[in-house]
Amino acid sequence: MKDQVTRTKLAELADRCVKCGLCLPHCPTYRIREDEAESPRGRIALIQGLAEGQLPPSPRLWSHLGSCLECRACEVACPSLVAFGSLMDHARVLENRHSRPWRRWAKELQLRFLGSRRGADVAAALCRLYRSSGLNLLVEGTGLPVGSRLGAYHRVAMQLGRPSPTPADPVGDQAPRQEVALFLGCVARTAQPGLAAAACRVLARLGLRVRIPEDQQCCGALHRHNGFPDEADGLLMQNASAFSGLPTLVTASACAAELRTHPGLRNTLEICRFLTDFEWPEEARLRPLPARVAVHEPCSHRNVLRDCHAVYTLLRRIPHVELVPLDGNVFCCGAAGTYMLEDRAMSAALLAPKIEHLRRLQVDVLVTTNTGCALHLAAGAREASLGVEVLHPVELIARQLLA
């Protein structure tokens, strides 16, 4: 019965596609593989065949659907307004139901681990141990092939759990202008350990009281995009209860996009948008930064929130900074949540031009609002010996605050 409901929903969503092909040039996987089955139009045709019973479930079919990054660039280009992200989420629900129980259980266990605070702490501790033990040098000495499983996990382990570069800043004694809540996320705790402190530092300097609910959970985006909507909805419900109607600021653009889908979390804002619109007190001044800063525009910010210009507006508050968009911002960097650990060859192929563009720009800092992208890009920059620091825009703002 559940399968039939999902198939009906898939057919309903897919029928909006008129097969015009305007999405093809915007699809990262199609540009690389030049295979119709690796395009949005081709994937929709496969989903229609699956939903209508004309195509049986098969490893080859799931492979084409699974290689989609869900970057949603096709949604921006689509004249028929096909909800491609929702279509892929439903397709992955069906894939999970057809996969072997042990495989489904293993994926669910992985997501629970990644999305929990305890799991994030354990992952950070293991990554620190991996680096301090010298195992990382041994692994690097083997000459890791691009797209290998070991290489993908090594790259993540080299970035997680690093010391925070952002000092804490105590809240002043002034009466707070208002109270806001801060959503921390799950992976960000270890991938960007200084981000929460940086956000609190900036918000406090603006005279805001920051509340960080202890019972907040993962936003659920990882679960939804991997075909576990019930778990995602449960996490959203817990977060709606934890934040209880307070204005909620989110540092990760992907988390902001997911949280805003719940009626109880509509009062959610991506933090760069909030800081751009907020009236700064005169004493909240920034020291000059005579440096080039590249701006990466994550798919979640560009194609879902559709508000990347807030980042540029915010960073222009820094005197003398030179902002340059990272070339190819219209295409996904290949991080895409857990994608960089699963379709490793495609992820590496999408990252390569970003790193080459970064090399040509000769910048000091790269900023991005997506945690997974930050981790992915920082790993690529480190491997290319670029010496580029990867930060969240709010981390850069916090660093430039005058004492």
Side-chain angles (χ1 to χ4, degrees):
M1 182 62 181
K2 283 185 177 181
D3 265 15
Q4 187 54 49
V5 171
T6 303
R7 287 173 187 268
T8 301
K9 183 65 176 177
L10 284 172
E12 177 187 322
L13 290 168
D15 282 346
R16 292 188 66 95
C17 178
V18 296
K19 309 297 189 294
C20 66
L22 289 176
C23 57
L24 269 63
H26 302 273
C27 178
T29 55
Y30 178 75
R31 282 171 62 88
I32 288 177
R33 290 179 175 154
E34 297 183 340
D35 181 346
E36 179 72 21
E38 294 289 313
S39 73
R41 181 175 65 181
R43 290 186 177 109
I44 289 173
L46 292 175
I47 288 171
Q48 283 178 313
L50 179 67
E52 295 166 5
Q54 297 173 352
L55 283 176
S58 68
R60 185 177 177 185
L61 185 148
W62 297 132
S63 174
H64 287 307
L65 298 184
S67 66
C68 173
L69 295 133
E70 287 205 57
C71 68
R72 294 170 67 173
C74 54
E75 284 192 18
V76 178
C78 181
S80 301
L81 305 179
V82 175
F84 192 78
S86 181
L87 184 63
M88 287 306 308
D89 288 343
H90 281 84
R92 285 169 181 167
V93 171
L94 198 60
E95 179 185 2
N96 279 342
R97 291 185 189 147
H98 283 272
S99 65
R100 295 178 179 178
W102 69 265
R103 189 182 297 275
R104 185 169 59 249
W105 176 82
K107 183 186 287 188
E108 188 173 4
L109 189 65
Q110 179 192 34
L111 293 172
R112 285 187 180 179
F113 179 79
L114 289 173
S116 70
R117 184 177 303 183
R118 182 173 296 178
D121 291 342
V122 169
L126 290 174
C127 290
R128 286 192 291 268
L129 178 63
Y130 174 73
R131 294 192 296 269
S132 64
S133 68
L135 276 173
N136 60 314
L137 300 176
L138 180 63
V139 170
E140 286 182 350
T142 63
L144 298 169
V146 172
S148 69
R149 183 180 297 276
L150 180 60
Y153 280 94
H154 166 78
R155 299 173 81 249
V156 171
M158 291 301 293
Q159 298 302 130
L160 287 182
R162 289 191 172 276
S164 166
T166 307
D169 190 37
V171 178
D173 295 329
Q174 73 274 21
R177 298 166 70 183
Q178 71 180 76
E179 184 178 46
V180 294
L182 183 65
F183 181 81
L184 299 179
C186 46
V187 179
R189 298 172 193 268
T190 55
Q192 296 173 298
L195 181 51
C200 289
R201 185 182 187 198
V202 174
L203 294 168
R205 192 63 64 85
L206 299 187
L208 295 161
R209 176 182 288 138
V210 183
R211 187 181 135 206
I212 303 177
E214 281 293 317
D215 50 346
Q216 63 178 286
Q217 306 292 327
C218 168
C219 71
L222 287 175
H223 303 74
R224 191 174 308 282
H225 300 325
N226 280 280
F228 295 95
D230 293 341
E231 289 78 358
D233 290 341
L235 290 167
L236 281 177
M237 191 175 299
Q238 291 178 63
N239 281 315
S241 174
F243 288 94
S244 61
L246 270 176
T248 302
L249 306 184
V250 187
T251 53
S253 52
C255 296
E258 178 66 22
L259 290 171
R260 284 167 56 172
T261 63
H262 191 280
L265 291 163
R266 294 282 164 81
N267 202 14
T268 295
L269 278 174
E270 189 274 324
I271 195 168
C272 292
R273 168 48 59 194
F274 175 83
L275 292 174
T276 295
D277 292 344
F278 194 79
E279 184 180 350
W280 286 43
E282 190 174 337
E283 60 271 18
R285 292 177 294 129
L286 303 174
R287 66 171 60 90
L289 179 64
R292 299 190 87 198
V293 174
V295 180
H296 170 252
E297 301 173 10
C299 302
S300 51
H301 214 151
R302 184 183 182 88
N303 301 328
V304 186
L305 297 179
R306 304 192 186 187
D307 191 25
C308 287
H309 59 277
V311 175
Y312 294 89
T313 304
L314 174 64
L315 292 177
R316 286 192 189 104
R317 283 186 168 273
I318 303 174
H320 306 318
V321 73
E322 182 187 356
L323 299 178
V324 289
L326 184 63
D327 295 349
N329 265 333
V330 293
F331 297 111
C332 182
C333 70
T338 58
Y339 190 96
M340 60 179 144
L341 299 176
E342 294 163 355
D343 198 331
R344 297 171 294 278
M346 177 59 73
S347 181
L350 291 169
L351 178 63
K354 304 286 185 188
I355 300 303
E356 185 53 38
H357 294 157
L358 203 54
R359 187 194 305 277
R360 290 205 301 265
L361 285 174
Q362 296 184 334
V363 296
D364 304 286
V365 175
L366 171 68
V367 296
T368 182
T369 57
N370 184 277
T371 304
C373 298
L375 192 154
H376 194 47
L377 290 162
R382 184 189 70 83
E383 290 166 1
S385 303
L386 295 186
V388 175
E389 193 173 14
V390 180
L391 299 172
H392 190 282
V394 171
E395 289 183 289
L396 189 57
I397 292 287
R399 187 177 292 183
Q400 297 308 118
L401 278 171
L402 283 167

